[in-house]
Amino acid sequence: MRKITLSQLERHLFAAADILRGKMDASEYKEYIFGMLFLKRCSDVFEEQYEQIIAANILKGRTEAEAKQRAESSAYYDKTFFVPERARWNYIEKELHSDVGNGLNKALGALENENPILEGVVSHIDFNKTAGKTRVSDQKLRDLIRHFGKLPLRNEDFEFPDLLGAAYEYLIKHFADSAGKKGGEFYTPRDVSRLMVRLLKPQQKMRIYDPCVGSGGMLILSKEYVEEHQGNAKNLSLYGQEANGGVWAICKMNMILHGIVTDEKAIQNDDTIANPLHLEGGELMRFDRVISNPPFSQNYSTDGLKFNERFRFGFCPENGKKADLMFVQHMVAVLRSTGMMATVMPHGVLFRGGVEKEIRQKFIEDDLLEAVIGLPPNLFYGTGIPACILVMRGSKAAKPQDRQGKVLFINADAEFQSGRAQNFLKPEHIEKIVSSFEAFVNVPGYAAVVTKQQLAENDYNCNIRRYADNAPPTEPHDVRAHLLGGVPKAEVAAKQEPFIAHGFEPSAFFIERNQNYFDFLPTLTERSQIKDFVESYPGIAQQEKRLKDAFLSWWEIHENQLLQLPETKDLMKVRADFLTSFTEAMRPIKILEPYQVAVTMSQWLENNENTLTSVANQSFKGFVENEIEAKAESLRKQAIQEQMLLFLDEFQVNGVIASWWNEIQYDLKTVAAQNFDGLIEGWVETIRADLDSDNKNGNGSDPLGHKLVVRLLPKYLQQLADYEAKKADLESQLAATKKSDEEGEEGELEDEEQLSEAEIKKLKQELLQVKKILTKLKEDLIKQLDNARKQLMMEQCQRLVLDIAKDDLENQLNRYVNAHRQQVISSLENWWDKYRVNLRDIEAKRDDAAKRLDGFLRGLGYVI
């Protein structure tokens, strides 16, 4: 049986949501989809185990009746849920035809009753819930049952083991997108969660806790981080608490579907501020890492508040929506003394006065605050207000010694990728934040290390821009150049380093004007010439070729690890090596430091001692200084030009490989589980499903643009393109004929320019024939793809997949290279826009226009 691919399952879940879309809000019907998915999964896994138990008992000599009797005992199901008969999918499909909502409610209740760990997880879902004045009809619920019955959801049906967990994450994100503001109640964007996990670096044997756990994404990413770093995630203890019962249930299901086994009390349901439920010996449980995105700007009440000692720094006002620092104090209180926490907060907590200022002051005085990280706008669902991350320690002693008495401020609010509905962080943005945090040093315009004394002098105001101002420098304008012409050499020198790094010598674009100014090359007369000039410059091509050669050398060495995945199955080890080795291979080498120049010059002086002592008619000191300056400049340029990727910083290099891995990881999981031919079979099935669903799958995938089709069927695609072009040409001719007829009625065209009726009829027939051929070609896509696939041997499958992977990574790299080349072009265009026309030119044109106007006036006799 063909394996289910991730894209197939995602499409399947999206189509399930389509069945209910329009009947109620996404925030309401999401529980129906989650509940139905969970019920189907539990039933399928149970049935698999049920069949195995019967088969094993029959082998032992028992009758079929005896074997079934044992299979009905819950004692045999220690590694999966026991599903009672009325909750089994076979019963639901065959028996629930009327009062379906009530039947589904009873099925969920029965499942929960048989499995104490599910208490409260599914029974709260009400399929009879009314939306407005109506509820979902029996027909709609039957449609939903039939739809979920189309795909089996056993592990053996999936192309890789954790496919269901990945699909569930997709479903959660889909509902968060659909729910708008309400989406923020249960989902934190994955890029923000990944950033926070990387800041905390959870390790095996740790306790990880999220007091506002939502759907559990941060805990799951913590587990994945441990696995990615070759740790044993089974030794990781995950805890969370969530106030919203429905969201708590989603979290519990999410953990289960990701294969995360926790005890019944690991994920709790109640208000964390009012009633924290993770206790140990009657005391608050302590954790190694706390990570959270609590709800912004909430009210709270001190009535009935438990464990008041958590709030030793002070109680925020109960009204005015200022509970933010109450959450922070709770997190600090449950940290072990060696622990570390990261939480998302609104910017208001950084500078508001009153009690909040006092709490902030005590955090700093006790040396618990380690870093304040400003995030870009519009990252989160439901709010566009600025947010930040606070990184704190359980005690002063937990801070590294060189960080004690200091706070790092990182201003990353300007570095993000704009999205259609909201912004997001790319891997290089995350890498830059994490690297800056790890380095804990000043980075001009980005990060600042601030002492406790400095913070005290600023009245404990932690406004990020006060310490790390990332406002861009003002654009320089040379008044003399604007008046008299020329491009200031000082401006060119300031941009020289990134230019030379990309292989472009700025002086090639100019000619000497005088000691302080250049002029543009006389051959450049139009702004549009600049792009061609840069792209055709030999140094640009040479430098980009060196980059490509470095990449190909790296790939040749490391692709063998991908080739061995079906045997090793150690995807996390490959990931770690790829990220490290790629960054090392492509990372720019720093320009020579001053001391290196000094050592080089010392050697040069020794070699040229005789020449120097015989120098006449000039100061020896001056001569040496001039030579050192010239040599240093030569060495600097040489160092820049010898770099492979100096025009991409190490964060961008890391972003290239991380982005590629994120996009390809599920394909590699399939390779590890199903081998290379299994991945190609999965691609074929994805394309088949795309065609069957008419592309109405929610992800906008184009079967003809799939990388497998592009690789295996180039002639087919060319034939298709030729007929599409022919179709467009015929349609254009017919449209022109129609226009000619309309204009001809007005007598504006000659008769010979118009087509006859016979010619028009022939065009229409030809167009009809072309359309039929196109339809037939598209219908034959899967047939041609299947035929091409059958001809591939295993070695060809391996080569095909590896080449596609290599091309994808190279394309990622090229996007960054192209962007940097465009920066070079933009800088030159900027100078052109600023200085190409100066005041003297404008005056000359004015004088010439006045002279010509005077001539016209004289010719007309208006001026004597």
Side-chain angles (χ1 to χ4, degrees), residues 180-334:
K181 184 175 182 179
K182 291 183 179 179
E185 296 177 3
F186 59 88
Y187 184 77
T188 299
R190 195 172 179 84
D191 48 349
V192 178
S193 298
R194 187 174 293 279
L195 165 62
M196 296 171 69
V197 169
R198 287 197 57 191
L199 290 169
L200 294 181
K201 293 180 170 50
Q203 300 172 27
Q204 60 185 10
K205 298 183 180 180
M206 282 187 172
R207 285 179 175 176
I208 317 295
Y209 171 60
D210 184 346
C212 305
V213 72
S215 57
M218 290 186 179
L219 296 181
I220 290 168
L221 280 174
S222 296
K223 167 188 173 284
E224 291 178 1
Y225 180 89
V226 171
E227 291 173 338
E228 288 168 0
H229 291 78
Q230 285 78 61
N232 183 359
K234 292 181 180 179
N235 292 334
L236 194 67
S237 300
L238 302 175
Y239 299 87
Q241 184 163 333
E242 172 57 44
N244 184 303
V247 176
W248 168 81
I250 291 172
C251 176
K252 292 275 283 189
M253 287 187 276
N254 197 10
M255 304 283 275
I256 292 167
L257 294 177
H258 273 88
I260 298 175
V261 179
T262 61
D263 62 52
E264 294 178 38
K265 297 182 179 180
I267 308 297
Q268 296 279 12
N269 176 209
D270 206 343
D271 185 328
T272 302
I273 298 298
N275 185 27
L277 294 175
H278 290 91
L279 307 178
E280 203 168 39
E283 300 282 334
L284 289 170
M285 186 181 286
R286 298 298 192 270
F287 304 94
D288 300 287
R289 296 290 185 268
V290 177
I291 182 171
S292 195
N293 175 20
F296 287 2
S297 306
Q298 299 286 300
N299 289 321
Y300 79 102
S301 173
T302 55
D303 292 343
L305 205 62
K306 297 181 180 179
F307 298 99
N308 285 6
E309 64 272 16
R310 290 176 290 164
F311 310 110
R312 59 192 174 98
F313 299 110
F315 286 84
C316 297
E318 294 181 57
N319 297 316
K321 298 185 176 181
K322 293 182 179 179
D324 304 299
L325 290 182
M326 298 295 285
F327 281 108
V328 177
Q329 288 188 84
H330 166 77
M331 295 180 218
V332 172
V334 298

Side-chain angles (χ1 to χ4, degrees), residues 507-524:
S507 61
F509 190 74
F510 303 104
I511 59 173
E512 192 79 13
R513 181 184 181 96
N514 56 41
Q515 184 178 355
N516 297 317
Y517 294 89
F518 289 120
D519 273 331
F520 294 105
L521 286 174
T523 53
L524 295 171

Side-chain angles (χ1 to χ4, degrees), residues 386-397:
C388 64
I389 294 173
L390 302 184
V391 182
M392 301 180 70
R393 298 279 182 166
S395 66
K396 176 181 179 178

Side-chain angles (χ1 to χ4, degrees), residues 708-727:
L708 184 65
V709 177
V710 172
R711 284 276 180 170
L712 286 185
L713 303 176
K715 292 182 180 178
Y716 165 83
L717 290 177
Q718 185 58 55
Q719 187 180 16
L720 203 62
D722 291 342
Y723 276 103
E724 288 285 4
K726 191 170 184 180
K727 172 174 167 278

Side-chain angles (χ1 to χ4, degrees), residues 590-642:
K590 291 182 179 179
I591 299 172
L592 294 178
E593 301 290 349
Y595 78 89
Q596 294 173 302
V597 175
V599 170
T600 305
M601 286 310 305
S602 175
Q603 295 170 347
W604 180 84
L605 286 169
E606 289 179 10
N607 296 335
N608 293 274
E609 184 177 1
N610 294 333
T611 303
L612 294 174
T613 55
S614 63
V615 171
N617 299 325
Q618 64 175 303
S619 162
F620 180 79
K621 180 181 178 181
F623 173 79
V624 172
E625 287 177 348
N626 290 337
E627 284 296 313
I628 288 178
E629 184 179 346
K631 186 66 176 177
E633 176 65 13
S634 173
L635 286 169
R636 189 182 67 82
K637 286 188 177 182
Q638 180 183 347
I640 294 172
Q641 290 178 336
E642 287 179 356

Side-chain angles (χ1 to χ4, degrees), residues 94-157:
K94 291 182 178 179
E95 303 297 330
L96 296 187
H97 294 282
S98 61
D99 199 14
V100 179
N102 191 42
L104 289 170
N105 290 343
K106 289 179 179 178
L108 291 174
L111 178 64
E112 191 171 295
N113 290 337
E114 290 288 348
N115 302 277
I117 196 173
L118 293 180
E119 183 181 356
V121 174
V122 292
S123 62
H124 76 283
I125 299 173
D126 182 7
F127 283 95
N128 282 328
K129 182 178 180 181
T130 58
K133 293 184 178 180
T134 62
R135 65 182 187 181
V136 180
S137 67
D138 281 353
Q139 182 60 49
K140 282 288 184 183
L141 292 176
R142 284 294 304 167
D143 290 344
L144 205 58
I145 292 169
R146 279 191 290 269
H147 180 77
F148 272 98
K150 292 177 181 178
L151 290 182
L153 298 179
R154 300 170 299 177
N155 288 335
E156 67 178 40
D157 300 311

